[in-house]
Amino acid sequence: MRHFLEIDDLETQELELVLKLSAATNPPKVLADQGVALLFEKPSGRTRNSMEMAVVQLGGHPMYIQPEELGIGSRETAEDVVRVMAGYHTVLAARVFDHGLLEQMAATNSVPIVNLLSDIAHPMQALADLLTIEQEIGLGKVGKVAYVGDANNVWRSLAIGCSMLGIQTSVASPAGHGPNSPDLERVLIAGGSVQVTDDPSEAVEGADVVYTDVWTSMGQEDEKSQRLDAFSRYTVNSDLMAETNSNSIFMHCLPAHRGEEVTDEVIESPRSKVFLQAQNRMHSARGLLSWIVGEVAKHG
Ligand code: CP
Ligand code: NVA
């Protein structure tokens, strides 16, 4: 049984297929009469709405579930919850605090598990990001994708995804917030190269894409003031964008904290593709679901 907890759960050819399926505008209703459970332990605007609409477009029924309804680990074990849900739904997708919970759920092998964001990965976002880069620049043409900020869940999935497609990346973070060795190893195993620095200017030199995300992710709120200090030199502003390639684009998974990781001027500029990325969340969700339902049909 196939799960999607991180982008490299796909082979490179499968990633290319998912991106192709994402671009299909009138896909077969592969989820007709079927359910997809969407469990959220954290808030969500884009992920919930894009997943629900992707399920509808594939002919299925999305079921939004709040954690207290299931009581994973309190009312019932995770394993029991997943095996019960498997009786109703073709896919169980979840946004969780602890990535380990997704692994525990996947280990039951009773229904495909899809990661809707965990503390360490956001692969559904990376699919939309790659689709956006394909539309705006071309995956075969893009040079360097530079990430400025916290080497977090969004960075990790993006870096691995780019690496799988042979796209060079860079990451600029303050001390203590950069990639660790296992992260870098995973990016390199995926096939590409990654430039690691603490200097935003160095990271964006020659970049076709500049990407950033919030400095304080959900679940890290008590670190906010320390993080505001640590990242104060890492705002993506017009001066930094001027150091990139002349046709470069700006990307952000959203929600954005304007005035922190990005200025209003950059996010509102013609180079900013943030709303296209957000819209692509629905198209790439459709692509991933179409692929995973196809795998269920093939292997059960
Ligand atoms: N980018 C993203 O995952 O947004 P939401 O948290 O609103 O779902
Ligand atoms: N890194 C952010 C992404 C939100 C979509 C978080 O985890 O909160």
Side-chain angles (χ1 to χ4, degrees):
M1 175 164 292
R2 302 298 297 274
H3 303 286
F4 187 62
L5 305 193
E6 178 54 293
I7 194 152
D8 58 3
D9 285 342
L10 299 172
E11 301 293 332
T12 297
Q13 279 183 343
E14 291 171 335
L15 172 56
E16 288 165 348
L17 173 62
V18 167
L19 293 173
K20 198 169 146 202
L21 291 169
S22 305
T25 47
N26 196 12
K29 307 280 187 225
V30 293
L31 278 170
D33 297 329
Q34 295 167 67
V36 173
L38 305 169
L39 166 66
F40 284 87
E41 289 188 340
K42 299 178 183 181
S44 169
R46 281 143 288 270
T47 305
R48 176 182 173 184
N49 282 275
S50 60
M51 286 295 291
E52 289 206 15
M53 290 316 300
V55 172
V56 168
Q57 288 167 1
L58 294 174
H61 180 80
M63 177 76 73
Y64 172 69
I65 304 169
Q66 292 180 307
E68 51 277 16
E69 290 170 332
L70 288 183
I72 289 186
S74 54
R75 191 163 181 264
E76 243 176 323
T77 66
E79 287 79 3
D80 283 0
V81 167
V82 174
R83 286 180 292 177
V84 169
M85 289 296 126
Y88 313 131
H89 298 288
T90 304
V91 177
L92 172 50
R95 168 168 286 197
V96 299
F97 283 96
D98 177 8
H99 193 83
L101 175 58
L102 293 172
E103 291 174 335
Q104 208 182 332
M105 293 162 88
T108 67
N109 263 330
S110 49
V111 63
I113 304 295
V114 171
N115 181 2
L116 299 181
L117 181 143
S118 68
D119 51 340
I120 66 165
H122 199 3
M124 294 302 289
Q125 180 67 50
L127 291 178
D129 299 339
L130 292 170
L131 187 62
T132 306
I133 294 172
E134 164 68 355
Q135 292 165 348
E136 287 296 309
I137 301 173
L139 290 168
K141 289 194 201 143
V142 65
K144 181 159 81 171
V145 174
Y147 182 99
V148 177
D150 190 20
N152 59 13
N153 44 10
V154 168
W155 166 75
R156 197 170 288 105
S157 298
L158 176 71
I160 297 171
C162 284
S163 184
M164 288 170 71
L165 299 176
I167 299 166
Q168 187 199 345
T169 62
S170 63
V171 51
S173 319
H177 298 283
N180 59 31
S181 306
D183 287 342
L184 291 175
E185 209 170 301
R186 196 157 176 182
V187 172
L188 294 175
I189 285 173
S193 64
V194 54
Q195 174 193 8
V196 182
T197 174
D198 62 0
D199 180 359
S201 294
E202 201 179 308
V204 304
E205 189 185 352
D208 294 319
V209 177
V210 177
Y211 201 119
T212 190
D213 183 19
V214 292
W215 295 337
T216 304
S217 285
M218 291 181 277
Q220 298 175 329
E221 288 76 10
D222 53 0
E223 299 172 25
K224 187 169 179 187
S225 66
Q226 175 264 321
R227 285 174 169 272
L228 279 173
D229 283 347
F231 285 96
S232 59
R233 283 195 307 119
Y234 290 80
T235 303
V236 177
N237 55 29
S238 298
D239 289 343
L240 193 67
M241 289 303 292
E243 296 177 40
T244 66
N245 283 349
S246 55
N247 291 327
S248 68
I249 61 172
F250 170 75
M251 296 177 69
H252 191 310
C253 58
L254 302 180
H257 290 175
R258 291 159 183 250
E260 292 183 17
E261 75 275 3
V262 61
T263 59
D264 261 328
E265 194 179 13
V266 168
I267 202 167
E268 294 296 343
S269 72
R271 288 177 178 222
S272 172
K273 305 300 167 193
V274 299
F275 297 109
L276 178 60
Q277 276 176 272
Q279 191 186 6
N280 276 334
R281 290 293 309 272
M282 180 175 71
H283 303 310
S284 53
R286 222 175 41 238
L288 188 280
L289 287 168
S290 297
W291 170 77
I292 214 159
V293 171
E295 289 299 306
V296 172
K298 270 195 270 174
H299 308 294

